[in-house]
Structures are given as structure tokens and as C-alpha cells.
């Protein structure tokens, strides 16, 4: 930190994103991207004519895209907010709905950006412990009078809670926002978006980065009551009114039009997930039940950090954290069948080399 930086950031520890090697040398199973390219319609939308309009600002309201998303989810355009990735959306949520009198609560093991935003804004925060087997107990969030942020499926565990359980949390915290981060909802989970018309305090957060193969386009969105969306808009227009670029707006609109393509891809990911879990089980791994495009898996005989290092040396990137409660685990993105076969082959090699 230079002597010029504000003192208020002295204790801030920035988020560390997963490795993004640019040389394509790795089988990349570390940041939950889709192995599939964007749909042909998306590629067509990113055409020269669109690029020729880059001299013009994008629509700050993203109206066409918001209309399409509203139609897809059966809500109104006024219920949709667009952000530059759901990371930016989460940033806006922490900025808009939390302060000294509105502390934030999130699971103690969850997406690593939540504590960073809490620290960025100097918020009082509660990290709610998970229960046995990394299970999130909805009762732990009932009536806690805090802004609540929950990832469902949770990251990095992949475990889910039901819509009925989310409804209980919403009902018991009517004076606080409950943000449900559904970044991974489209791989077999049950979205709570149907609750939006009933609960003014609900914000459902989703992203184009996973299911819609657009991590590089940076687009996240919230679905929520008009009141909450207006609050988010107030902060967006006080930060960066043109937060979504023209190419991403065009690509995303085309992605919504090709929803079936992504649904098919998701089916393949879910099949590959079941296959990978079954193969790992044969090798003695224990894997948490996952409804996400990743699994959280643990080899009782080889430490998680070692598996991660050895896989990396063999050209396969997965994710590992040193946090003691989860240090035994690796998070493995579910990619194509070919990628999963390479991963499994390298795991078998490592076990042989370890004499297991
Ligand atoms: N929420 C969760 C739970 C995530 O794992 C991620 C991906 N790292 C995000 C949000 C952010 O995704 P993006 O900014 O690409 O939309």
C-alpha cells in the first residue's frame, strides 16, 4: 500500500481469482467455465456491423436484453437489473443494502468474494457456520435481522437448499434483503425466481458466465422487486451508467434466444458430473452431492493440496483452498467428457505414484 492510499483500505485483502493461464496449455477445470462455446446465434450477433457501432455508447438501460430476460423468467422488465458479471452485482448489493446498522450475514464457507465486499465497505459481518457435511441450515438465518447473502447451490460445496427453505428465510426477515446467488442454478437446481412477485425483499442473482458460456462477456443480472431494482439502479447510475458494453448486450440477447442450446449443454454437464463422481468413487474419493457445474471432492489418502499440485504439474488445473476446514478438498469444474477423462487418468496416475 502506498502512502497515498486511503487508510480505510489498510486491512483489505483483495479477492484472488482462479488462475487464468493464457497459453491454453492446461485442461482448465478451475473456474467453473463452460467447456462449450457460445451458441451459433451469439457468434453471429458479434458481427462486424456490431463492432462498427463501438463508437457509440451502449444503451444504459439494456432495455432489449432486460425485456428478453423478463419474458424468460415471467417477470416485468422493471424486475431486472444488469451488471458487469455477478461480481459487480454482488458489489452493488453489498454497497446498496448494508451499512453499520444493517450488518451482512453469509455462510462461513461460501463464495470468497463475500468477505472481501464486507471488508471493502467496512461492514459488520456474521459468517454463519455450516453444519455437518457442509450443510447449510436455513434455521440459522431465520429472524437474524441482517442482510443475507446465500449462494444456492453453494460454492465451493455444490450443495443446495430448497425453495421452501429459502421462503422460510425470506418470511422471517421481512425488513432485510435476502440475496440468493444462483450463479450455478441451471445445472439441476431449483431456482427461487418464482418467489419474486411475493417477496419484496428477495434478490435472485444469476450470471451468463456458467450455463450460458459467456464468462468472458461479463454479464450478471438480478431479478427482484421493483423497489430493490430501483435502489440498485440508483447506485449503478452513481457508479457507471454504461456498465455493460455493446457487444455483451448483443451477445446476451442472442443467448436468450438460443436457450435450448444451453439446456442441452447443461444436460451433458450433468451426465459428465454423474460419470466423474462415479469414477472418483471407484478410486476412493468422497464427493459432496452437487447440483452445480463443479464437484467438491476429497481423497482420504492424499491431501487436497497435493492432489491440486500434482494435477497442475500434469497439466490439469483444479481449485484448492488452504482454509483448514476445506483444505482436504479440491473443487473440480465439470467440463467435456474428454476433459473429465484426462482429469480422471491423471488422478489415477497420481494415486499409483503415491502407492495407493
Ligand atoms: N457467485 C458465485 C457463487 C460464483 O462462484 C461466481 C464465479 N466466480 C460468481 C458469483 C461471479 O461470477 P461472474 O462475475 O462471472 O458472473
Amino acid at each position: 500500500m502506498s502512502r497515498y492510499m486511503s487508510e480505510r483500505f489498510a486491512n483489505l485483502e483483495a479477492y484472488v481469482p482462479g488462475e487464468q493461464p493464457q497459453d491454453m496449455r492446461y485442461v482448465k477445470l478451475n473456474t467453473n467455465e463452460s467447456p462449450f462455446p457460445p451458441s451459433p446465434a451469439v457468434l453471429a450477433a458479434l458481427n462486424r456491423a456490431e463492432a462498427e457501432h463501438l463508437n457509440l455508447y451502449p444503451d444504459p438501460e439494456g432495455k432489449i436484453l432486460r425485456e428478453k430476460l423478463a419474458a424468460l423468467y415471467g417477470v416485468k422488465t422493471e424486475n431486472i437489473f444488469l451488471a458487469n458479471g455477478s461480481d459487480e452485482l454482488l458489489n452493488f448489493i453489498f454497497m446498496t443494502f448494508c451499512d453499520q446498522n444493517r450488518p451482512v450475514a453469509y455462510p462461513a464457507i461460501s463464495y470468497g468474494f463475500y468477505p472481501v465486499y464486507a471488508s471493502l465497505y467496512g461492514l459488520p459481518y456474521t459468517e454463519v457456520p455450516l453444519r455437518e457435511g457442509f450443510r447449510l441450515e436455513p434455521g440459522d438465518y431465520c429472524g437474524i435481522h441482517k442482510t443475507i447473502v446465500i449462494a444456492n447451490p453453494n460454492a465451493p460445496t455444490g450443495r443446495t437448499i430448497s425453495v421452501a427453505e429459502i421462503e422460510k428465510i425470506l418470511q422471517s426477515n421481512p425488513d432485510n434483503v435476502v440475496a440468493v446467488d444462483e450463479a450455478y442454478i441451471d445445472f439441476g437446481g431449483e431456482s427461487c425466481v418464482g418467489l419474486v412477485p411475493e417477496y419484496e425483499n428477495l434478490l435472485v442473482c444469476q450470471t451468463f458466465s456458467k450455463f450460458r458460456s459467456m464468462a468472458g462477456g461479463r454479464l450478471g443480472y438480478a431479478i427482484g422487486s421493483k423497489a430493490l431494482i430501483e435502489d440498485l439502479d440508483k447506485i449503478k447510475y452513481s457508479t457507471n451508467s454504461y456498465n455493460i458494453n455493446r457487444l455483451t448486450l448483443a451477445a446476451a440477447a442472442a443467448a436468450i434466444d438460443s436457450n435450448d442450446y444451453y439446456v442441452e449443454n447443461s444436460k451433458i454437464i450433468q451426465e459428465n458430473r454423474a460419470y466423474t463422481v462415479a469414477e472418483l468413487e471407484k478410486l476412493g474419493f468422497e464427493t459432496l452431492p452437487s447440483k452445480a457445474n463443479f464437484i467438491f471432492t476429497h481423497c482420504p489418502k492424499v491431501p487436497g493440496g497435493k492432489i491440486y499440485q500434482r494435477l497442475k504439474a500434469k497439466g490439469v488445473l483444479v481449485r484448492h483452498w488452504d482454509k483448514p476446514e476445506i483444505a482436504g478438498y479440491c473443487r473440480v469444474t465439470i467440463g467435456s467428457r474428454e476433459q473429465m477423462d484426462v482429469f480422471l487418468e491423471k488422478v489415477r496416475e497420481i494415486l499409483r505414484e503415491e502407492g495407493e
Side-chain angles (χ1 to χ4, degrees):
M1 178 171 160
S2 78
R3 64 196 168 93
Y4 305 102
M5 193 181 197
S6 165
E7 277 295 323
R8 70 184 191 280
F9 299 125
N11 295 322
L12 178 64
E13 276 184 47
Y15 178 71
V16 182
E19 297 158 86
Q20 304 295 352
Q22 299 298 310
D23 55 13
M24 303 280 177
R25 266 192 311 124
Y26 289 96
V27 173
K28 199 169 171 306
L29 304 177
N30 68 329
T31 47
N32 300 338
E33 289 137 324
S34 172
F36 302 107
S39 76
V42 169
L43 301 181
L46 292 170
N47 58 21
R48 191 187 167 101
E50 199 52 45
E52 279 172 354
H53 287 130
L54 281 177
N55 57 318
L56 303 175
Y57 283 109
D59 173 11
E61 293 182 20
K63 198 150 177 289
I64 294 172
L65 177 58
R66 283 169 56 233
E67 280 167 1
K68 284 183 189 285
L69 282 165
L72 183 68
Y73 291 105
V75 295
K76 297 190 181 142
T77 311
E78 66 195 27
N79 300 119
I80 307 278
F81 175 83
L82 303 177
N84 193 310
S86 48
D87 283 339
E88 187 188 58
L89 172 61
L90 290 162
N91 180 19
F92 283 147
I93 289 172
F94 277 74
M95 209 192 305
T96 311
F97 301 111
C98 307
D99 59 27
Q100 290 303 314
N101 304 316
R102 275 186 196 276
V104 63
Y106 48 81
I109 296 172
S110 193
Y111 184 33
F113 233 132
Y114 304 156
V116 176
Y117 291 132
S119 170
L120 179 64
Y121 297 111
L123 300 173
Y125 62 90
T126 304
E127 299 192 338
V128 183
L130 295 178
R131 302 295 188 97
E132 183 79 31
F134 302 109
R135 194 178 60 79
L136 190 153
E137 169 50 51
D140 293 342
Y141 294 84
C142 286
I144 60 171
H145 307 293
K146 296 180 164 93
T147 298
I148 295 169
V149 182
I150 285 175
N152 192 45
N154 197 11
T157 67
R159 297 200 68 145
T160 47
I161 57 172
S162 69
V163 171
E165 289 172 317
I166 289 169
E167 189 162 16
K168 259 177 40 186
I169 297 172
L170 285 162
Q171 281 170 348
S172 67
N173 293 286
D175 297 327
N176 285 93
V177 166
V178 178
V180 182
D181 180 349
E182 293 190 340
Y184 303 102
I185 200 63
D186 292 301
F187 301 97
E190 192 192 355
S191 173
C192 64
V193 77
L195 299 177
V196 164
E198 281 172 76
Y199 294 94
E200 192 179 39
N201 57 333
L202 170 62
L203 269 180
V204 183
C205 308
Q206 296 197 0
T207 176
F208 278 60
S209 294
K210 320 291 177 183
F211 170 72
R212 295 198 180 91
S213 299
M214 254 180 64
R218 313 304 301 125
L219 186 67
Y221 54 102
I223 309 167
S225 62
K226 182 168 183 259
L228 295 191
I229 300 300
E230 281 175 359
D231 293 341
L232 286 170
D233 268 335
K234 186 168 182 174
I235 298 306
K236 166 187 144 160
Y237 285 104
S238 307
T239 309
N240 177 10
S241 9
Y242 303 114
N243 62 337
I244 319 293
N245 72 75
R246 293 189 77 96
L247 294 177
T248 296
L249 285 174
I256 297 301
D257 290 341
S258 26
N259 206 47
D260 293 351
Y261 167 85
Y262 298 105
V263 171
E264 282 311 307
N265 290 347
S266 171
K267 281 188 197 148
I268 297 170
I269 296 292
Q270 292 174 59
E271 282 163 22
N272 293 350
R273 182 176 67 204
Y275 166 74
T276 308
V277 171
E279 290 299 311
L280 284 173
E281 197 179 340
K282 290 182 200 162
L283 301 174
F285 280 67
E286 292 157 5
T287 305
L288 295 184
S290 170
K291 292 266 161 108
N293 67 339
F294 59 81
I295 52 172
F296 204 45
T297 191
H298 157 74
C299 177
K301 292 175 182 158
V302 187
K306 193 165 199 176
I307 300 253
Y308 159 77
Q309 287 292 354
R310 300 289 289 277
L311 280 170
K312 187 172 177 186
K314 290 172 184 294
V316 179
L317 274 186
V318 300
R319 195 95 197 253
H320 174 263
W321 289 269
D322 288 327
K323 198 172 177 171
E325 307 92 298
I326 55 172
Y329 285 75
C330 287
R331 191 195 66 189
V332 183
T333 302
I334 302 297
S336 66
R337 178 66 182 257
E338 294 72 24
Q339 287 177 313
M340 300 328 289
D341 278 332
V342 174
F343 160 74
L344 288 164
E345 196 40 51
K346 300 297 175 195
V347 168
R348 288 185 198 104
E349 267 176 41
I350 292 168
L351 293 182
R352 276 199 299 276
E353 288 158 11
E354 290 293 311
E356 293 299 342

